[in-house]
Amino acid sequence: MAGIGAGSGAARVGGGVNLLALRSHNAALLLDLLRRAGRTGMSRLELAERTGLTPQAVSKITARLREDGLVTEAGRQASTGGKPRTVLRLVPEAGHAVGLHLDRDELRVVLVDLTGAVVAERCAPLDLGAGADAVLDVVVAEVGEVLAGLGSVGSTVLGVGVAMPGPLDHTHGVLHRVTGFPEWDGYPLRDALSRRLGGVPVVLDKDTNAAALRLAVGGEAGAFAYLHLGTGLGAGLVLGGAVHRGSRTGAGEFGHQVIQLDGPPCSCGNRGCVEALCLAAVARGDVDEAARVLGEGAANLVGLLDIDLVLLGGRTVAAESERFVRGVGVVLDARARREGVGSPVPVRVASGGVRGVAEGAAQLLLVPLFGRAEG
């Protein structure tokens, strides 16, 4: 296990949580149940009943988790006639993950514990077009700052999750031609950042996928689309309970669907993209038109995937959330009436606010620990 600490502009690796205990699928299942149980905790017998494992297996696994500091005893349950049962609970501070949201003009860093709760946060200006070295300098400095003064927490960091605009290769941690910043094409960000952070594990994904993952972990069910409108426009898709990335990790390039063939040029090279039309409307102060255009794109998505819910997020949406929800909803309502559908797909603002993407980036590290499929 690796940890990160501040110092001389570079992060240092130290000892931390022993993850050998987490290599077992059964251990991950038990940890997930204890995470969901919160401070109330669960007894070993309850864990056995919920997982189908034998009481002996549960006792063996939880003993190892206790040795590693991930689980602790939390009192006893009231007796119902037999011997009172010892309650176990997750130790949230036993592990942490760093989540980074690299936007085109801003960097947001969060540090979360094993429950996903944010324990530290920083935000700094960022110029994504300044070049890889300059961007990584800012990232490394801000990660060091968010950990500074937190004492032993630095030695419990599981890794760093990075979320940024796509397209990119999630599997290999390599950027493609980021819209508006073609100089990043082919850059191995995951490995380069890991080296700068002293070897700490790094995971890379699109900002919209990270945000969608956080929403799914937080309880959003069914098939839904998260539409993120900030300095750009993209979508995160959750289908069958997992983030849908596609075989080439290119799913969700929602902003670059062409809806006006003779429309204004887009920085991606096409004309009449939803992103270009939305951002142009926002720039001239026509929020209602931006919402209508976003709604037309959302209606196309609903028609293609038959999703259950549309969630809106991003700085631009947050500034006029009611108008965006209303405008997108009007378009989806009209579509439902034309098709004779009983009820339109609901639209609402996603939870998480401005740090939802960064929190989702941290979940890229946490989700596998709890045995959840995340696509």
Side-chain angles (χ1 to χ4, degrees), residues 186-278:
Y187 186 77
L189 179 63
R190 182 189 65 190
D191 293 345
L193 181 57
S194 180
R195 286 193 299 271
R196 289 288 299 270
L197 294 174
V200 68
V202 173
V203 181
L204 173 68
D205 206 345
K206 288 198 295 190
D207 46 11
T208 50
N209 287 344
L213 174 63
R214 176 196 166 276
L215 292 167
V217 170
E220 292 291 356
F224 67 85
Y226 168 75
L227 307 183
H228 184 94
L229 179 59
T231 57
L233 173 61
L237 307 174
V238 173
L239 307 175
V243 176
H244 176 70
R245 296 185 176 88
S247 60
R248 292 173 295 279
T249 71
E253 289 299 312
F254 169 83
H256 300 295
Q257 56 174 307
V258 175
I259 62 173
Q260 184 180 338
L261 292 178
D262 59 348
C266 180
S267 55
C268 73
N270 290 327
R271 300 184 70 91
C273 291
V274 176
E275 177 178 298
L277 294 168
C278 266

Side-chain angles (χ1 to χ4, degrees), residues 120-361:
E121 178 181 8
R122 284 184 66 85
C123 186
L126 184 73
D127 178 4
L128 200 59
D133 288 341
V135 169
L136 292 189
D137 284 345
V138 175
V139 170
V140 171
E142 291 300 317
V143 170
E145 289 293 334
V146 86
L147 294 175
L150 294 179
S152 61
V153 168
S155 66
T156 67
V157 174
L158 307 173
V160 176
V162 182
M164 64 180 296
L168 53 80
D169 184 338
H170 160 79
T171 304
H172 298 98
V174 175
L175 298 180
H176 291 320
R177 195 174 291 270
V178 178
T179 305
F181 301 90
E183 64 270 23
W184 284 98
D185 191 15
Y187 186 77
L189 179 63
R190 182 189 65 190
D191 293 345
L193 181 57
S194 180
R195 286 193 299 271
R196 289 288 299 270
L197 294 174
V200 68
V202 173
V203 181
L204 173 68
D205 206 345
K206 288 198 295 190
D207 46 11
T208 50
N209 287 344
L213 174 63
R214 176 196 166 276
L215 292 167
V217 170
E220 292 291 356
F224 67 85
Y226 168 75
L227 307 183
H228 184 94
L229 179 59
T231 57
L233 173 61
L237 307 174
V238 173
L239 307 175
V243 176
H244 176 70
R245 296 185 176 88
S247 60
R248 292 173 295 279
T249 71
E253 289 299 312
F254 169 83
H256 300 295
Q257 56 174 307
V258 175
I259 62 173
Q260 184 180 338
L261 292 178
D262 59 348
C266 180
S267 55
C268 73
N270 290 327
R271 300 184 70 91
C273 291
V274 176
E275 177 178 298
L277 294 168
C278 266
L279 294 180
V282 170
R284 62 177 183 267
D286 194 346
V287 175
D288 293 333
E289 174 63 9
R292 186 189 70 81
V293 172
L294 184 59
E296 292 295 343
N300 289 342
L301 199 58
V302 169
L304 285 170
L305 299 177
D306 194 22
I307 55 177
D308 306 314
L309 174 67
V310 172
L311 296 168
L312 306 180
R315 279 184 281 161
T316 302
V317 167
E320 295 280 0
S321 57
E322 291 185 5
R323 292 173 73 180
F324 273 103
V325 169
R326 182 172 60 251
V328 173
V330 166
V331 178
L332 294 183
D333 288 353
R335 181 189 182 95
R337 287 195 300 272
R338 288 196 304 271
E339 296 179 349
V341 178
S343 57
V345 172
V347 182
R348 53 184 168 83
V349 174
S351 65
V354 295
R355 69 185 188 193
V357 172
E359 289 184 40

